[in-house]
Amino acid sequence: APAVAILSQDFFHYMPTNRTIAEMTPAERIINANALGSALSVTMLVPWALCAVFFTLMHWTYPADRRRSLATPLRRAQALKT
């Protein structure tokens, strides 16, 4: 929640006020709603994009990692036999 507040005020021009929503002008309400929506979108999309990148990397490395992990017990068994 602090990230949304910081982004909305510092980057998306949210205008803090002590007035109720009914007392605000329609322009102020639209600006604040857009600012909050944009900040919330950024705080959701950036982490999801990072997750997508890392999961893609894991899918590329998984076959080699699996082969290596399956070969390890075979190497140990062969070493014990010699």
Side-chain angles (χ1 to χ4, degrees), residues 8-9 13-19 24 28 32:
S8 64
Q9 286 183 5
H13 310 295
Y14 179 86
M15 296 183 296
T17 181
N18 292 332
R19 295 179 287 161
M24 295 172 66
E28 288 175 321
N32 284 350

Side-chain angles (χ1 to χ4, degrees), residues 1-14 35-36 39 43:
V4 174
I6 291 168
L7 284 172
S8 64
Q9 286 183 5
D10 294 345
F11 295 101
F12 297 111
H13 310 295
Y14 179 86
L36 289 172
T43 57

Side-chain angles (χ1 to χ4, degrees), residues 6 41-42 45 63 72 74:
I6 291 168
S41 295
V42 167
L45 292 175
T72 300
L74 292 174

Side-chain angles (χ1 to χ4, degrees), residues 20-80:
T20 64
I21 292 174
E23 295 171 341
M24 295 172 66
T25 65
E28 288 175 321
R29 285 188 282 193
I30 290 172
I31 289 170
N32 284 350
N34 287 337
L36 289 172
S38 298
L40 190 57
S41 295
V42 167
T43 57
M44 290 185 327
L45 292 175
V46 169
W48 275 107
L50 290 172
C51 285
V53 166
F54 287 117
F55 274 105
T56 301
L57 292 174
M58 284 194 304
H59 282 287
W60 283 341
T61 62
Y62 177 76
D65 291 341
R66 185 168 190 277
R67 278 192 303 274
R68 198 173 319 125
S69 70
L70 292 174
T72 300
L74 292 174
R75 285 189 202 137
R76 285 185 188 153
Q78 290 172 352
L80 291 174

